[in-house]
Amino acid sequence: MSTFRTQDGTQIYYKDWGKGKPVLFSHGWPLDADMWDSQMNFLAERGYRVIAFDRRGFGRSDQPWEGYNYDTFASDINDLIEHLDLHDITLVGFSMGGGDVTRYIGRYGTERVSALALLGAVTPIFIKTDDHPEGVDKSVFDDIKAGLRKDRAQFISDFATPFYGLNKGMTVSEGVKTQTLNIALLASLKGTIDCVTAFSETDFRPDVKKIDVPTLVIHGSSDQVVPFEATGKLAAETITGAQLKIYDGAPHGFAVTHQQQLNEDLLAFLQAR
């Protein structure tokens, strides 16, 4: 099993498949690197080196009590990039993982980065504030944390409905729903709760302004978890030259419901570099 240790001694698990230009994936909440298996296999078969890691507290990585904030997540990514000595990387971040890769650029720049893809990402800012009135109200995130504390297994099981748009005409297999729950329950409860605070309250607007590489923004028009108008729309408008793709009717979990479309779009974006 491939692992490395971060600056604070946390052991992080990662996958490293294929050969070619590197593509580094950062997963969403409350998942792990396995969410990317389809995209990774597809791109590795087409000549790319694909790397995905389990965020600290999730999957097969260590479960420290602290460190669930975006400065630490960005530092972990930097440690992985240096561990593998990666250059000319395309960073791909889904949901809260979009925050990881954006904060990485904000802190460490783009010397090693050639392109960026933000998929259903929480950037530039998720929560409702005085200067971001289209954001999601804090009470929503408070309710999520309360649900996790009360009965995490049932909360995550129910969360699959809006995540995959099952109440909006989308369908996924029973296997996908089972896998989603199993992955989520591998994670640290503390990390799962703390990450809700991190992805909801972190302001990435200063980081987004530092993005100076070709960027692809993909968002579902029917995203009930990370609403497009509050996040992806603003990211695409803020990042110079960003390419925006809106998946009509797609939910938050479009990496599953629109798997082939996403695979082809990522490949086309990579081939254009």
Side-chain angles (χ1 to χ4, degrees), residues 216-220 228 243-247 265:
L216 173 64
V217 177
I218 302 179
H219 221 101
F228 170 66
Q243 177 185 1
L244 172 63
K245 286 184 175 290
I246 302 173
Y247 287 3
D265 283 341

Side-chain angles (χ1 to χ4, degrees), residues 14-18 20-25 49-53 77-91 104 110-114:
Y14 67 94
K15 306 179 184 189
D16 187 353
W17 300 350
K21 289 182 64 175
V23 184
L24 177 60
F25 293 85
R49 180 183 180 185
V50 290
I51 301 114
F53 63 95
I77 289 176
N78 185 60
D79 290 344
L80 174 57
I81 288 172
E82 292 189 344
H83 174 72
L84 296 175
D85 193 24
L86 300 176
H87 296 270
D88 198 21
I89 315 162
T90 296
L91 296 174
Y104 168 82
T110 54
E111 181 180 354
R112 293 175 179 255
V113 179
S114 62

Side-chain angles (χ1 to χ4, degrees), residues 136-165:
V136 176
D137 195 84
K138 183 178 182 295
S139 63
V140 173
F141 305 112
D142 291 340
D143 288 345
I144 291 172
K145 288 182 278 191
L148 291 168
R149 288 188 170 97
K150 180 180 179 181
D151 187 344
R152 173 169 58 154
Q154 189 59 53
F155 180 88
I156 298 297
S157 182
D158 294 341
F159 185 68
T161 294
F163 188 89
Y164 292 118

